Amino acid sequence: METRSVMARAAESAVDIVRGIGPDVFDGCTPCPELKVGALLNHLIFLTGVRGHAAGLKQPPQAQNEVAEGHAFTAEPDWAEAYAARSAATAAVWSAPEAWVGETALTGSGRMPARFIGGIVLGEWLLHGWDLAVATGQKLNVDDELAAVLYEDIVGKAEVARQYGVFGPEVSVSPTAPLFDRALGMAGRDPLWKRPVDSV
């Protein structure tokens, strides 16, 4: 299955989680030790709602009218619905075949094959969507096709991602575990992670 065919579903899964998060949990812990819920939300919105959209259109990072990383999207009115619209627009761009051709850039670190960047956007929705889900007592909706496409993408880039600190050390997961759990483990996440009691 082509990755582009699942981008809309991945975006919707992440949006469902984002809509279930209120400011009362912004200071809660997440599986990303360096990021609280609020900071991870802003990171997700920036990469999948701003940079991911521009990258799919082959636009350069930090265009003159683009907000910068670190922008507090969650301080804006109706931020969750604004993200839903941004995320849907990104998914629409990456659902088109031309988005996956040639090279593009997601950050200022240089251009890479568009297929690689598209996989990163998919992973942002599903991996950080899961991070936010378990951090806020929700469940991310990932069907078998989504899990299979994500797993295949992570297998192809895990070692490179680890070298650049994008993924943590692989977490051992049973080979008979659900494919999404195995994808999480390969991406440096413990599928059994629980939020600390004092962060609830």
Side-chain angles (χ1 to χ4, degrees), residues 38-119:
L40 187 55
L41 272 171
N42 283 308
H43 171 82
L44 176 70
I45 295 169
F46 178 72
L47 281 184
T48 62
V50 178
R51 277 304 320 138
H53 182 261
L57 295 173
K58 309 294 196 301
Q59 294 174 351
Q62 296 302 314
Q64 194 169 14
N65 61 344
E66 183 182 294
V67 297
E69 186 163 10
H71 180 77
F73 295 96
T74 54
E76 298 172 355
D78 299 321
W79 62 269
E81 290 311 309
Y83 172 62
R86 287 177 185 268
S87 190
T90 299
V93 167
W94 283 101
S95 295
E98 56 268 25
W100 301 83
V101 177
E103 293 186 334
T104 190
L106 190 62
T107 66
S109 59
R111 297 175 69 81
M112 302 183 79
R115 188 163 296 278
F116 188 87
I117 298 296

Side-chain angles (χ1 to χ4, degrees), residues 64-173:
Q64 194 169 14
N65 61 344
E66 183 182 294
V67 297
E69 186 163 10
H71 180 77
F73 295 96
T74 54
E76 298 172 355
D78 299 321
W79 62 269
E81 290 311 309
Y83 172 62
R86 287 177 185 268
S87 190
T90 299
V93 167
W94 283 101
S95 295
E98 56 268 25
W100 301 83
V101 177
E103 293 186 334
T104 190
L106 190 62
T107 66
S109 59
R111 297 175 69 81
M112 302 183 79
R115 188 163 296 278
F116 188 87
I117 298 296
I120 292 176
V121 175
L122 174 72
E124 289 286 320
W125 276 319
L126 296 181
L127 296 175
H128 283 325
W130 178 84
D131 293 331
L132 288 167
V134 295
T136 59
Q138 301 183 74
K139 181 173 175 56
L140 184 73
N141 181 28
V142 179
D143 60 39
D144 291 344
E145 287 181 342
L146 267 178
V149 172
L150 177 68
Y151 182 82
E152 183 178 347
D153 183 77
I154 290 177
V155 166
K157 69 173 50 150
E159 289 311 313
V160 173
R162 252 184 276 288
Q163 288 173 19
Y164 286 92
V166 177
F167 291 166
E170 183 174 354
V171 175
S172 180
V173 176

